[in-house]
Amino acid sequence: MRRPLRVLALANQKGGVGKTTTAINLGTALAAIGEDVLVIDLDPQGNASTGLGIDRAKRRVSTYEVMAGEASLAQAVVPTAVPRLSIAPSTMDLLGLELELATLPDRAHRLRSMLKSLTQAPSLSKISYVLIDCPPSLNLLTINALAAADAVLVPLQCEFFALEGLSQLLRTVEQVRGALNPKLTIQGIVLTMFDPRNNLSAQVVADVRGFMGDKVYETVIPRNVRISEAPSHGKPALLYDLKCAGSQAYLRLASEVIQREGRVPAAA
Ligand code: ADP
Ligand code: MG
């Protein structure tokens, strides 16, 4: 039987908090435990595409063409080195999209319409998780992701200003829920780049848990050099060094994400 499709947007308007790293490694971890995962790269920087080993030359159809209505999502999807994990890559062309869509009445629903056709494409009908890697801004691309998603997963870096900006993001989620996507929820908040030798890191974890309660995943992603090295090899950390603390944390996060949805883990 087909597993229900869940669409998660990885969003935080701050850059460098771990959205892309989480898209790549949570995606790989979900695939490793038996889910069929599609990462949609909605950031013009294309770091998720590069980090998953998709060279620019291989991005013939990108999320730009999909969002502009020039291609279907299925046409953009390419496999990765990870079994059961595919990606719709992005290119810098996405930078121009906002202006191009500005006057169109359906500009916020582009991605949602594209995802509707996903389950009809024979090659993609098995996908059970879509992870959308958002740009570091609350722009039209992120709004499209929130309008298309079942839930938002927010990576927060364990640093002094972690909570700054979260209220604005939560307000945006409320607005999208009210105006565009009534079913949208917050799946959870994942604390990233935790440094056990730094007292501040522990303080940030305590503060964020105090503010957001059990919306915060128990799994905290440690700062780990293997995680930051992996993208330059075009590999997820889980392929680069499965045993490192970062990879192991992403595997735990994947179980938590699945548990939160009351899903029985797929047989791998
Ligand atoms: P965002 O997508 O939110 O801009 P990234 O996922 O690109 O953030 O992460 C920003 C930088 O931090 C990248 O260079 C990435 O390799 C590094 N990074 C992310 N998570 C970790 C981690 N757990 N340990 C070490 N480095 C990390
Ligand atoms: Mg990113």
Side-chain angles (χ1 to χ4, degrees), residues 19-20 43 47 133-134:
K19 290 181 290 297
T20 299
D43 187 344
N47 293 341
D133 187 24
C134 293

Side-chain angles (χ1 to χ4, degrees), residues 12 14-23 25 43 47 133-136 155 157 192-194 221-231 246 250:
N12 185 333
K14 280 196 192 183
V17 297
K19 290 181 290 297
T20 299
T21 303
T22 301
N25 291 298
D43 187 344
N47 293 341
D133 187 24
C134 293
Q157 189 182 346
T192 64
M193 295 181 243
F194 178 78
I221 310 296
R223 184 177 282 284
N224 183 248
V225 67
R226 307 298 273 169
I227 287 200
S228 54
E229 285 168 2
Y250 274 111

Side-chain angles (χ1 to χ4, degrees), residues 17-186:
V17 297
K19 290 181 290 297
T20 299
T21 303
T22 301
I24 293 173
N25 291 298
L26 175 62
T28 304
L30 285 168
I33 57 179
E35 301 288 341
D36 277 82
V37 184
L38 170 64
V39 170
I40 297 182
D41 192 348
L42 266 201
D43 187 344
Q45 296 292 327
N47 293 341
S49 312
T50 312
L52 281 169
I54 312 301
D55 299 340
R56 292 196 184 266
K58 278 195 265 166
R59 300 179 205 172
R60 275 179 306 142
V61 180
S62 73
T63 48
Y64 166 77
E65 280 82 11
V66 175
M67 296 290 286
E70 293 167 14
S72 70
L73 188 54
Q75 286 172 306
V77 172
V78 288
T80 71
V82 180
R84 285 190 293 268
L85 177 70
S86 53
I87 181 166
S90 83
T91 62
M92 287 286 183
D93 291 343
L94 263 186
L95 281 172
L97 191 79
E98 182 129 1
L99 264 183
E100 288 173 42
L101 295 186
T103 56
L104 300 182
D106 71 337
R107 62 186 173 274
H109 286 301
R110 289 274 161 154
L111 188 59
R112 176 141 100 186
S113 326
M114 287 300 170
L115 274 172
K116 278 211 183 105
S117 60
L118 185 77
T119 44
Q120 274 121 53
S123 56
L124 301 176
S125 60
K126 280 174 66 194
I127 303 266
S128 54
Y129 269 99
V130 170
L131 303 181
I132 308 170
D133 187 24
C134 293
S137 148
L138 294 173
N139 62 9
L140 188 58
L141 290 167
T142 298
I143 300 297
N144 262 273
L146 296 178
D150 297 301
V152 193
L153 200 157
V154 183
L156 273 194
Q157 189 182 346
C158 294
E159 50 142 24
F160 183 60
F161 292 114
L163 279 169
E164 191 190 74
L166 182 59
S167 319
Q168 195 192 358
L169 176 60
L170 297 178
R171 255 196 318 277
T172 304
V173 170
E174 279 301 322
Q175 285 164 355
V176 171
R177 187 186 296 133
L180 301 169
N181 183 6
K183 67 174 192 291
L184 185 66
T185 58
I186 309 258

